[in-house]
Amino acid sequence: MNTVDLIRKKRNGDPLTREEIEYIIRRYVAGEIPDYQIAAWLMAVYFRSMNDEETAILTDVMAHSGVMLDLAGAPGFPVDKHSTGGVGDTTTLVLIPLLAAAGLTVAKLSGRSLGHTGGTIDKLESIPGFRTDLSREEFLGQVERFGVALADHTEDMVPADRLLYELRDVTCTVDSLPLIVASIMSKKIAGGAKGIVIDVKTGEGAFLRELEDSRKLARTLVSIGSQLGRKISALITRMSEPLGSMVGNALEVREAIDTLRGKGPEDLADLCCELGAELVIAAGEAQSRQAAIARLHSLLSGGEALDKFQELVRLQGGDPKVVDDPQRLPSAAKTFPIRAAQAGVIAKLNALDIGRAASLLGAGRFVKEDRIDPAVGIQILAKIGDSVSVGEELAVLHVNEQQHLDEARGLVLSAYVIGSELAEVPPLIIDRITGN
Ligand code: URA
Ligand code: CA
């Protein structure tokens, strides 16, 4: 076997065997195949694609390219969730303690912000003292004793994905369904969970804007996860407007605390309970979706999920008092309201523009090296379907550095389309894709 033959085989559209995929991935990670050959191979995959069997093999081989987490010592059924990325997507901060309160085990590895979407690790780091850089021993020890941990990815897991992603990024090959699926699922498989739910966002603020593309991605993720022995389902959810009412790091921690208290925005709470229900069912802990959803809502209103969040903050060195006193979180020096120029009903609220505006204020990163400001962001006061009068506040910018303020203001204002007629609020959950 040699690399040229495998590039040719894929270029000609023939499926690769397990041995062939192992040859490519293992040798690339070991530094034995140069980038230019893998770049050609990626382009061949881009044009010729992969069937489900090849994609499952690629996922499995990538997952095994580094350390695999062993959650056999965990007290409950280990679950994980993944979102394809949205704006103001505060779900992980709520869902992780909520699932732990439901008795499931959650060993969650998360990422940082890039582009117009935020990252859970940055959000958590706005809590004074909170440590996200747990060692493997600390992470697994905490999972085994308390059933919950939430930390940053480590370099020694799934190195194949990091290497391939960097190359895909500069060779125009990110946009390939089998490569996206293998990238997402290899990280989930290496994370050790038995039950997985994927939130596939669709709309202006999502990685995939078109519903049909999101549906295809969801179906393939579920198929590959099932083939690799996981209980997996996906929800396709609307990301045309931001989720909840906060976009920004400390602001989203506040929003999560409100939601864990049963007093958060309805869309965020509903989505968390819907996603969570998939995992409660995967764990065999509920008879029906309805029962699972009702149970999760009661853990929010009853305070159990909030207690779990406070415990998680304490376990990872954060200030647990932020739960009762959110003033202890960083806050911005100034606020600037954005006001409606006309009366009417909000017809559109472009999540991508809001995400970009929040990043401009310092809540996100345009390149990996950017520093984020935990205090800044955007509070959304009017959402699709709301009526507003002239001069009414649509949103509030939370600002420290004023360098990009005008640009951010312009983006937020143009994100809003105010119409004269009653706008239909489209459903948040568009479809549900389940495994076999
Ligand atoms: N998200 C990932 O983790 N990988 C991709 O390739 C695309 C989106
Ligand atoms: Ca939010």
Side-chain angles (χ1 to χ4, degrees):
M1 205 179 311
N2 71 62
T3 311
V4 175
D5 288 342
L6 300 183
I7 297 170
R8 182 185 302 110
K9 190 169 177 186
K10 190 38 61 185
R11 184 203 66 185
N12 293 348
D14 295 326
L16 301 175
T17 65
R18 174 174 285 273
E19 289 68 35
E20 290 167 340
I21 291 170
E22 280 176 350
Y23 181 96
I24 296 242
I25 300 302
R26 286 191 186 160
R27 289 188 182 229
Y28 181 50
V29 172
E32 292 163 13
I33 302 179
D35 282 354
Y36 52 80
Q37 284 190 305
I38 299 300
W41 181 77
L42 288 170
M43 193 56 87
V45 173
Y46 178 89
F47 280 111
R48 292 298 198 165
S49 194
M50 281 183 156
N51 62 36
D52 270 12
E53 194 187 343
E54 287 176 286
T55 308
I57 294 168
L58 177 63
T59 304
D60 194 37
V61 173
M62 285 172 64
H64 284 85
S65 67
V67 173
M68 302 276 290
L69 288 193
D70 179 1
L71 301 179
F77 185 81
V79 295
D80 198 356
K81 75 75 86 149
H82 178 81
S83 157
T84 59
V87 175
D89 183 11
T90 317
T91 45
T92 298
L93 294 176
V94 176
L95 190 53
I96 275 26
L98 176 57
L99 292 168
L104 307 184
T105 287
V106 208
K108 172 99 181 99
L109 296 168
S110 273
R112 294 184 185 274
S113 135
L114 194 60
H116 70 278
T117 63
T120 298
I121 293 303
D122 296 319
K123 294 173 194 177
L124 286 167
E125 286 180 352
S126 67
I127 300 171
F130 195 100
R131 284 185 53 216
T132 59
D133 61 340
L134 303 185
S135 71
R136 176 94 56 241
E137 293 68 33
E138 286 175 308
F139 183 80
L140 287 175
Q142 188 178 311
V143 169
E144 283 169 17
R145 267 175 293 140
F146 302 99
V148 63
L150 187 41
D152 201 354
H153 289 116
T154 51
E155 292 275 307
D156 55 0
M157 287 182 71
V158 204
D161 179 57
R162 205 164 29 256
L163 291 167
L164 287 176
Y165 197 88
E166 279 178 15
L167 201 51
R168 287 166 62 205
D169 207 20
V170 294
T171 55
C172 268
T173 52
V174 167
D175 218 4
S176 148
L177 187 67
L179 296 178
I180 293 168
V181 168
S183 170
I184 293 173
M185 287 308 296
S186 59
K187 289 173 274 192
K188 297 291 112 185
I189 299 294
K194 292 185 184 155
I196 299 168
V197 67
I198 315 263
D199 182 3
V200 178
K201 309 277 190 192
T202 193
E204 280 86 3
F207 168 61
L208 298 175
R209 302 170 62 130
E210 302 299 328
L211 178 57
E212 271 325 296
D213 293 339
S214 303
R215 215 187 284 280
K216 213 186 270 176
L217 175 62
R219 284 205 193 106
T220 314
L221 288 165
V222 167
S223 160
I224 299 313
S226 304
Q227 285 184 55
L228 295 174
R230 300 312 195 267
K231 289 200 166 162
I232 179 168
S233 55
L235 298 183
I236 299 175
T237 72
R238 183 167 57 90
M239 183 36 73
S240 44
E241 68 180 338
L243 188 64
S245 57
M246 298 293 196
V247 182
N249 297 282
L251 290 172
E252 286 186 55
V253 170
R254 277 184 188 226
E255 177 173 53
I257 292 169
D258 287 345
T259 308
L260 287 161
R261 218 184 269 294
K263 295 186 174 141
E266 207 176 311
D267 59 347
L268 176 58
D270 284 348
L271 182 56
C272 290
C273 292
E274 295 271 354
L275 288 167
E278 298 295 322
L279 296 171
V280 170
I281 288 168
E285 301 267 337
Q287 296 303 317
S288 67
R289 268 187 66 73
Q290 256 153 344
I293 291 170
R295 171 138 176 262
L296 293 173
H297 273 294
S298 79
L299 292 170
L300 290 179
S301 54
E304 291 92 339
L306 185 67
D307 289 347
K308 250 315 158 194
F309 179 76
Q310 190 164 37
E311 182 187 353
L312 176 69
V313 171
R314 190 183 301 111
L315 285 170
Q316 296 193 207
D319 175 5
K321 296 202 194 90
V322 297
V323 169
D324 299 311
D325 182 11
Q327 308 281 14
R328 301 172 83 92
L329 291 165
S331 59
K334 292 203 168 122
T335 56
F336 294 91
I338 305 287
R339 297 180 187 279
Q342 66 185 91
V345 178
I346 310 297
K348 282 189 182 161
L349 168 51
N350 186 315
L352 178 59
D353 288 342
I354 298 292
R356 284 192 180 136
S359 287
L360 279 172
L361 295 176
R365 293 184 183 79
F366 291 99
V367 292
K368 244 189 323 200
E369 293 71 27
D370 286 346
R371 281 179 65 89
I372 66 148
D373 181 341
V376 302
I378 301 168
Q379 194 175 354
I380 305 286
L381 301 176
K383 295 191 54 160
I384 295 174
D386 291 346
S387 308
V388 293
S389 47
V390 183
E392 190 172 331
E393 288 186 11
L394 299 172
V396 178
L397 308 187
H398 291 244
V399 179
N400 278 329
E401 298 287 330
Q402 300 203 15
Q403 202 179 352
H404 299 291
L405 179 58
D406 287 343
E407 203 181 336
R409 243 188 197 142
L411 271 172
V412 174
L413 202 54
S414 68
Y416 278 96
V417 175
I418 301 176
S420 51
E421 288 164 32
L422 221 60
E424 178 105 6
V425 182
L428 180 61
I429 294 166
I430 295 165
D431 207 350
R432 171 169 175 258
I433 314 273
T434 56
N436 36 36

